[in-house]
Amino acid sequence: LSAPTIFTRMGLSERFWHHEYWLPSGATWEDMKESADTRYPQPQDILLCIPGALLLIIVRYVFERTVALPLGRRLGVSDKPRPKVQPNATLEAFYTLVSRTPKERDLISLAKQSDLLVKKVETWFRHRRVQDRPRLMKKFCEASWRFTFYFTSFFSGLALLYDKPWVWDHNLCWLRYPQQPLLPALGWFYLLELSFYCSLVVTLPFDVKRKDFKEQIIHHIATITLIFVSYCANLVRFGTMVMLVHDASDYILELAKMLHYMKRQRLCEALFIVFAVVFIVSRLVIFPLTTYYYFVTKFQLFFIICLIHAFLIILQLLHIFWSYLILQMIVGVILHGAKRKDARSDTEESERSEAEDLAKDK
């Protein structure tokens, strides 16, 4: 079967898979026809990301409860007790459907409807907001899972790529393209990354929400699109290098978060500075000036390449945005003695805000 045959039989337009869109001028799907000893990326392989994502979600669930949770307790991570909120249908309806922080006129109206003092209504909303804030242990478990995956992914990628000549000489990425046989290990590495980002999209509504929640959605969509498109077009060599550059800093950030939740502030700050250096060098220097530069200058344009260009630019804009946040935080801490805080902190303002809310009741 040719590369797009199975998808075509599933009802997708044959025009969608026309080789003029996916391959450079003069190349066709027949150039990527498999033989007994030669394998090429096949679009139907992408379907493996569905069971792969489900498996990763299950592995994460088990990991967080059997490894991360006991580890967090052993390392001194604990949740502070929170006040219980008395059930109140009127206040709950307003909190859920209208606003979590009612204005003064709303407080007066709700107090009349509930036959309560305005002060009691205000206290109810403060306690209700505290209830919804992610607990410290939940944040530690989530960071532990991401650290484990990113650490494994990055160093597995290094082990797979360090001896590949096209990693050190990017010109070889395009040698005899698209007739570049797929190494099985790289194929599985590709599908693992795709499965992971698909799992993140599924769990995103249940994970700790951060200030850059919208940017995270854009990032995941762009990443999934790039992995899917580059695999189908057999741009695996270029794609694996992009993945490796992007994975270089993520595990450091997650480890810094874990240290923050453990109250190891000095070690957390030192590691965060390491993360900032690696992040900025890898994403604002290495990626645009080497990896992306060779992609732009050495490869002929066709439809899929233009699409990849667009999504890579989106990623680079996100890199600039996050670099600004990182530098802003570092400048605030080092030069102005600002409160130490993750630049991508939780939307619900972390434990400090929770303590401030509870202090108002004392």
Side-chain angles (χ1 to χ4, degrees), residues 114-128:
S114 305
D115 195 23
L116 294 171
L117 295 175
V118 174
K119 183 66 176 178
K120 289 287 186 181
V121 174
E122 188 177 9
T123 301
W124 188 95
F125 275 92
R126 278 203 302 272
H127 289 180
R128 185 67 180 82

PDB file of all heavy atoms in Angstrom, residues 114-128:
ATOM      1  N   SER A 114     -29.827  35.382  50.492  1.00  0.00           N
ATOM      2  CA  SER A 114     -29.437  34.251  51.338  1.00  0.00           C
ATOM      3  C   SER A 114     -29.767  34.469  52.808  1.00  0.00           C
ATOM      4  O   SER A 114     -29.540  33.565  53.626  1.00  0.00           O
ATOM      5  CB  SER A 114     -27.928  34.010  51.212  1.00  0.00           C
ATOM      6  OG  SER A 114     -27.553  33.836  49.862  1.00  0.00           O
ATOM      7  N   ASP A 115     -30.259  35.656  53.130  1.00  0.00           N
ATOM      8  CA  ASP A 115     -30.559  36.010  54.518  1.00  0.00           C
ATOM      9  C   ASP A 115     -29.305  35.893  55.384  1.00  0.00           C
ATOM     10  O   ASP A 115     -29.312  35.297  56.465  1.00  0.00           O
ATOM     11  CB  ASP A 115     -31.673  35.112  55.070  1.00  0.00           C
ATOM     12  CG  ASP A 115     -32.266  35.675  56.359  1.00  0.00           C
ATOM     13  OD1 ASP A 115     -32.156  36.898  56.572  1.00  0.00           O
ATOM     14  OD2 ASP A 115     -32.812  34.885  57.155  1.00  0.00           O
ATOM     15  N   LEU A 116     -28.204  36.456  54.857  1.00  0.00           N
ATOM     16  CA  LEU A 116     -26.944  36.442  55.572  1.00  0.00           C
ATOM     17  C   LEU A 116     -26.376  37.854  55.642  1.00  0.00           C
ATOM     18  O   LEU A 116     -26.785  38.738  54.885  1.00  0.00           O
ATOM     19  CB  LEU A 116     -25.930  35.543  54.852  1.00  0.00           C
ATOM     20  CG  LEU A 116     -26.221  34.051  54.784  1.00  0.00           C
ATOM     21  CD1 LEU A 116     -25.220  33.373  53.846  1.00  0.00           C
ATOM     22  CD2 LEU A 116     -26.148  33.424  56.175  1.00  0.00           C
ATOM     23  N   LEU A 117     -25.437  38.054  56.544  1.00  0.00           N
ATOM     24  CA  LEU A 117     -24.739  39.326  56.603  1.00  0.00           C
ATOM     25  C   LEU A 117     -23.795  39.439  55.399  1.00  0.00           C
ATOM     26  O   LEU A 117     -23.280  38.433  54.903  1.00  0.00           O
ATOM     27  CB  LEU A 117     -23.933  39.438  57.898  1.00  0.00           C
ATOM     28  CG  LEU A 117     -24.739  39.466  59.206  1.00  0.00           C
ATOM     29  CD1 LEU A 117     -23.794  39.464  60.400  1.00  0.00           C
ATOM     30  CD2 LEU A 117     -25.650  40.681  59.249  1.00  0.00           C
ATOM     31  N   VAL A 118     -23.563  40.662  54.948  1.00  0.00           N
ATOM     32  CA  VAL A 118     -22.657  40.870  53.814  1.00  0.00           C
ATOM     33  C   VAL A 118     -21.275  40.314  54.122  1.00  0.00           C
ATOM     34  O   VAL A 118     -20.626  39.705  53.268  1.00  0.00           O
ATOM     35  CB  VAL A 118     -22.564  42.376  53.475  1.00  0.00           C
ATOM     36  CG1 VAL A 118     -21.507  42.612  52.403  1.00  0.00           C
ATOM     37  CG2 VAL A 118     -23.915  42.902  53.016  1.00  0.00           C
ATOM     38  N   LYS A 119     -20.832  40.488  55.375  1.00  0.00           N
ATOM     39  CA  LYS A 119     -19.517  39.987  55.778  1.00  0.00           C
ATOM     40  C   LYS A 119     -19.458  38.471  55.650  1.00  0.00           C
ATOM     41  O   LYS A 119     -18.435  37.907  55.229  1.00  0.00           O
ATOM     42  CB  LYS A 119     -19.233  40.416  57.219  1.00  0.00           C
ATOM     43  CG  LYS A 119     -17.848  40.013  57.724  1.00  0.00           C
ATOM     44  CD  LYS A 119     -16.746  40.735  56.979  1.00  0.00           C
ATOM     45  CE  LYS A 119     -15.383  40.396  57.565  1.00  0.00           C
ATOM     46  NZ  LYS A 119     -14.287  41.040  56.823  1.00  0.00           N
ATOM     47  N   LYS A 120     -20.540  37.790  55.970  1.00  0.00           N
ATOM     48  CA  LYS A 120     -20.587  36.325  55.867  1.00  0.00           C
ATOM     49  C   LYS A 120     -20.513  35.879  54.408  1.00  0.00           C
ATOM     50  O   LYS A 120     -19.854  34.885  54.080  1.00  0.00           O
ATOM     51  CB  LYS A 120     -21.878  35.803  56.513  1.00  0.00           C
ATOM     52  CG  LYS A 120     -21.920  35.909  58.023  1.00  0.00           C
ATOM     53  CD  LYS A 120     -21.003  34.875  58.659  1.00  0.00           C
ATOM     54  CE  LYS A 120     -21.138  34.875  60.171  1.00  0.00           C
ATOM     55  NZ  LYS A 120     -20.232  33.875  60.794  1.00  0.00           N
ATOM     56  N   VAL A 121     -21.200  36.617  53.548  1.00  0.00           N
ATOM     57  CA  VAL A 121     -21.167  36.284  52.119  1.00  0.00           C
ATOM     58  C   VAL A 121     -19.763  36.478  51.562  1.00  0.00           C
ATOM     59  O   VAL A 121     -19.254  35.644  50.806  1.00  0.00           O
ATOM     60  CB  VAL A 121     -22.187  37.153  51.339  1.00  0.00           C
ATOM     61  CG1 VAL A 121     -22.051  36.908  49.838  1.00  0.00           C
ATOM     62  CG2 VAL A 121     -23.601  36.855  51.814  1.00  0.00           C
ATOM     63  N   GLU A 122     -19.131  37.579  51.963  1.00  0.00           N
ATOM     64  CA  GLU A 122     -17.771  37.850  51.497  1.00  0.00           C
ATOM     65  C   GLU A 122     -16.813  36.743  51.958  1.00  0.00           C
ATOM     66  O   GLU A 122     -15.965  36.269  51.203  1.00  0.00           O
ATOM     67  CB  GLU A 122     -17.311  39.210  52.032  1.00  0.00           C
ATOM     68  CG  GLU A 122     -15.988  39.677  51.463  1.00  0.00           C
ATOM     69  CD  GLU A 122     -15.609  41.060  51.977  1.00  0.00           C
ATOM     70  OE1 GLU A 122     -16.299  41.567  52.898  1.00  0.00           O
ATOM     71  OE2 GLU A 122     -14.621  41.622  51.467  1.00  0.00           O
ATOM     72  N   THR A 123     -16.987  36.318  53.218  1.00  0.00           N
ATOM     73  CA  THR A 123     -16.151  35.239  53.754  1.00  0.00           C
ATOM     74  C   THR A 123     -16.409  33.940  53.017  1.00  0.00           C
ATOM     75  O   THR A 123     -15.475  33.189  52.718  1.00  0.00           O
ATOM     76  CB  THR A 123     -16.420  35.047  55.250  1.00  0.00           C
ATOM     77  OG1 THR A 123     -16.137  36.271  55.939  1.00  0.00           O
ATOM     78  CG2 THR A 123     -15.571  33.923  55.820  1.00  0.00           C
ATOM     79  N   TRP A 124     -17.659  33.655  52.679  1.00  0.00           N
ATOM     80  CA  TRP A 124     -18.007  32.422  51.947  1.00  0.00           C
ATOM     81  C   TRP A 124     -17.272  32.376  50.608  1.00  0.00           C
ATOM     82  O   TRP A 124     -16.718  31.326  50.240  1.00  0.00           O
ATOM     83  CB  TRP A 124     -19.512  32.368  51.729  1.00  0.00           C
ATOM     84  CG  TRP A 124     -19.992  31.057  51.156  1.00  0.00           C
ATOM     85  CD1 TRP A 124     -20.473  29.997  51.841  1.00  0.00           C
ATOM     86  CD2 TRP A 124     -20.027  30.687  49.766  1.00  0.00           C
ATOM     87  NE1 TRP A 124     -20.804  28.972  50.993  1.00  0.00           N
ATOM     88  CE2 TRP A 124     -20.547  29.367  49.700  1.00  0.00           C
ATOM     89  CE3 TRP A 124     -19.685  31.326  48.580  1.00  0.00           C
ATOM     90  CZ2 TRP A 124     -20.712  28.687  48.494  1.00  0.00           C
ATOM     91  CZ3 TRP A 124     -19.838  30.652  47.381  1.00  0.00           C
ATOM     92  CH2 TRP A 124     -20.349  29.354  47.338  1.00  0.00           C
ATOM     93  N   PHE A 125     -17.252  33.477  49.900  1.00  0.00           N
ATOM     94  CA  PHE A 125     -16.582  33.508  48.595  1.00  0.00           C
ATOM     95  C   PHE A 125     -15.064  33.356  48.738  1.00  0.00           C
ATOM     96  O   PHE A 125     -14.430  32.719  47.893  1.00  0.00           O
ATOM     97  CB  PHE A 125     -16.929  34.803  47.847  1.00  0.00           C
ATOM     98  CG  PHE A 125     -18.210  34.719  47.080  1.00  0.00           C
ATOM     99  CD1 PHE A 125     -19.418  35.111  47.644  1.00  0.00           C
ATOM    100  CD2 PHE A 125     -18.220  34.216  45.779  1.00  0.00           C
ATOM    101  CE1 PHE A 125     -20.601  35.013  46.923  1.00  0.00           C
ATOM    102  CE2 PHE A 125     -19.392  34.123  45.053  1.00  0.00           C
ATOM    103  CZ  PHE A 125     -20.593  34.515  45.634  1.00  0.00           C
ATOM    104  N   ARG A 126     -14.495  33.940  49.804  1.00  0.00           N
ATOM    105  CA  ARG A 126     -13.058  33.776  50.022  1.00  0.00           C
ATOM    106  C   ARG A 126     -12.720  32.310  50.257  1.00  0.00           C
ATOM    107  O   ARG A 126     -11.774  31.769  49.677  1.00  0.00           O
ATOM    108  CB  ARG A 126     -12.581  34.617  51.206  1.00  0.00           C
ATOM    109  CG  ARG A 126     -12.319  36.067  50.862  1.00  0.00           C
ATOM    110  CD  ARG A 126     -11.351  36.697  51.851  1.00  0.00           C
ATOM    111  NE  ARG A 126     -11.827  36.618  53.229  1.00  0.00           N
ATOM    112  CZ  ARG A 126     -12.601  37.530  53.803  1.00  0.00           C
ATOM    113  NH1 ARG A 126     -12.992  38.587  53.115  1.00  0.00           N
ATOM    114  NH2 ARG A 126     -12.989  37.378  55.042  1.00  0.00           N
ATOM    115  N   HIS A 127     -13.502  31.670  51.114  1.00  0.00           N
ATOM    116  CA  HIS A 127     -13.250  30.259  51.410  1.00  0.00           C
ATOM    117  C   HIS A 127     -13.500  29.379  50.188  1.00  0.00           C
ATOM    118  O   HIS A 127     -12.795  28.383  49.982  1.00  0.00           O
ATOM    119  CB  HIS A 127     -14.142  29.815  52.570  1.00  0.00           C
ATOM    120  CG  HIS A 127     -13.734  30.395  53.869  1.00  0.00           C
ATOM    121  ND1 HIS A 127     -14.408  30.134  55.053  1.00  0.00           N
ATOM    122  CD2 HIS A 127     -12.723  31.245  54.205  1.00  0.00           C
ATOM    123  CE1 HIS A 127     -13.823  30.781  56.043  1.00  0.00           C
ATOM    124  NE2 HIS A 127     -12.801  31.469  55.549  1.00  0.00           N
ATOM    125  N   ARG A 128     -14.491  29.745  49.393  1.00  0.00           N
ATOM    126  CA  ARG A 128     -14.799  28.945  48.192  1.00  0.00           C
ATOM    127  C   ARG A 128     -13.659  29.047  47.180  1.00  0.00           C
ATOM    128  O   ARG A 128     -13.318  28.050  46.509  1.00  0.00           O
ATOM    129  CB  ARG A 128     -16.109  29.450  47.576  1.00  0.00           C
ATOM    130  CG  ARG A 128     -16.604  28.637  46.406  1.00  0.00           C
ATOM    131  CD  ARG A 128     -17.017  27.252  46.842  1.00  0.00           C
ATOM    132  NE  ARG A 128     -17.488  26.479  45.700  1.00  0.00           N
ATOM    133  CZ  ARG A 128     -16.690  25.839  44.850  1.00  0.00           C
ATOM    134  NH1 ARG A 128     -15.385  25.869  45.032  1.00  0.00           N
ATOM    135  NH2 ARG A 128     -17.193  25.165  43.841  1.00  0.00           N
TER     136      ARG A 128
END
